[in-house]
Amino acid sequence: MQQQRSLQEGANLPFICVGGSSSRMKTFSQYMNELLGLGRATDDIPNICAQTDRYSMYKVGPVLAVSHGMGIPSISIMLHELFKLLYHAKCTDVVAFRIGTSGGIGLKPGTVVISKVSVDPSFHPHFEQNVMGKITAYCTELNAHLSQELLNCSKENNEFDTIIGTTLCTSDFYEGQARLDGAFCNYTHEDKMKYLQRAYDTGVRNIEMESSVFAAMCKRSGLPGAVVCVTLLDRLQGDQIDNSHEVLAEYQERPQKLVGCYIKKVFCKI
């Protein structure tokens, strides 16, 4: 298996980082290439999984960057296959990160949220898995020590606002997130605002679509995991993003900068 051989060529692989977009994960691998002094940010990092279009995988020194697409089913499939790959490649002491974008609740756009726990749309801190008609609820708490270390990195650099908060994970981008701009909407603006305010009151600070299964599978496998997402807008102020492309591009670099800071600190001690 090409992927397994590629992993084994680097004796130690302590960090895996996953994100939705293939292009974003390639950019992240190039960023880490320069940050860790392994090459230049302009180097063309090869896609280990070029034979499939389901996801992309890039390896740079101690870092494996993998795309997972959008939503719980997509990231679940990828994580199953990635965790099996890590097992067969005999990778140990691995730390896992998910980086991405999200909608904020009561935060100014550009704020980075480090998730302490992922909750479902009813604000329960678990991920429900239906296996052969039997539903099992898995804990979705993230590693508290890792979250604090990431927050410390942010305080040291002080480039952008970063908080630790609760993340709401949904299985839908529109109605599941109380949006008014989808094809269907059977609720009012007032209903939406009441729901988002309830979310805020329970501690939710951002909304995305993958954190629950990521947290649950990290917990089940014993991997320390962190979810680091930047907020592109404040959902209490509306459903549409109104910042420029340049501003949004800079926002999307923030999670990779924060995770990169942590990885560099640990890598320099190895």
Side-chain angles (χ1 to χ4, degrees):
M1 182 185 294
Q2 180 185 348
Q3 296 98 317
Q4 184 171 330
R5 288 198 303 270
S6 297
L7 295 188
Q8 290 172 331
E9 287 166 3
N12 195 11
L13 186 75
F15 309 108
I16 59 173
C17 187
V18 304
S21 164
S22 176
S23 61
R24 188 181 302 158
M25 298 318 294
K26 181 169 185 176
T27 299
F28 176 73
S29 68
Q30 292 172 315
Y31 173 75
M32 294 306 303
N33 194 41
E34 182 170 294
L35 185 66
L36 298 180
L38 302 173
R40 299 170 299 177
T42 54
D43 290 345
D44 186 22
I45 311 298
N47 175 14
I48 299 173
C49 296
Q51 306 92 330
T52 176
D53 58 3
R54 290 197 295 120
Y55 46 76
S56 299
M57 182 183 293
Y58 305 93
K59 184 180 183 297
V60 176
V63 181
L64 189 70
V66 192
S67 66
H68 57 63
M70 183 182 291
I72 289 172
S74 182
I75 189 175
S76 173
I77 294 167
M78 186 278 290
L79 289 176
H80 271 282
E81 296 178 3
L82 177 60
F83 287 177
K84 289 192 295 180
L85 182 61
L86 294 173
Y87 172 79
H88 289 296
K90 297 181 171 57
C91 297
T92 58
D93 301 319
V94 177
V95 180
F97 303 93
R98 172 178 132 65
I99 60 174
T101 59
S102 63
I105 300 184
L107 300 176
K108 70 177 183 179
T111 302
V112 172
V113 179
I114 304 167
S115 305
K116 66 177 179 180
V117 64
S118 175
V119 297
D120 68 15
S122 296
F123 313 128
H124 298 138
H126 62 227
F127 168 68
E128 290 189 344
Q129 179 78 50
N130 189 323
V131 180
M132 298 182 291
K134 180 180 179 180
I135 296 177
T136 302
Y138 293 104
C139 176
T140 50
E141 292 180 357
L142 281 304
N143 187 281
H145 176 74
L146 180 57
S147 295
Q148 188 60 52
E149 288 295 308
L150 288 164
L151 185 63
N152 292 342
C153 285
S154 178
K155 290 178 179 178
E156 291 168 10
N157 293 306
N158 198 31
E159 289 187 49
F160 41 78
D161 292 337
T162 305
I163 67 164
I164 295 176
T166 298
T167 296
L168 169 60
C169 184
T170 75
S171 58
D172 172 61
F173 186 76
Y174 290 100
E175 292 173 292
Q177 297 187 23
R179 291 181 179 273
L180 300 172
D181 56 353
F184 306 101
C185 181
N186 297 322
Y187 45 85
T188 66
H189 178 267
E190 182 181 25
D191 294 332
K192 164 197 163 179
M193 297 307 297
K194 285 182 179 179
Y195 178 74
L196 293 179
Q197 189 61 52
R198 279 180 56 210
Y200 183 86
D201 292 342
T202 63
V204 172
R205 293 297 177 267
N206 66 330
I207 308 174
E208 50 84 89
M209 297 176 61
E210 294 87 18
S211 60
S212 63
V213 69
F214 176 87
M217 290 184 70
C218 283
K219 196 89 170 177
R220 292 178 69 185
S221 63
L223 267 64
V227 176
V228 183
C229 291
V230 67
T231 60
L232 300 183
L233 76 168
D234 179 2
R235 288 295 314 287
L236 293 177
Q237 303 302 317
D239 297 341
Q240 301 296 325
I241 298 172
D242 55 12
N243 283 309
S244 68
H245 175 76
E246 291 74 20
V247 169
L248 293 176
E250 191 277 321
Y251 284 172
Q252 292 183 49
E253 292 177 354
R254 295 181 177 186
Q256 74 175 22
K257 286 182 177 179
L258 184 52
V259 171
C261 172
Y262 173 85
I263 291 175
K264 183 178 181 180
K265 286 178 65 175
V266 175
F267 180 68
C268 290
K269 297 177 182 178
I270 296 176

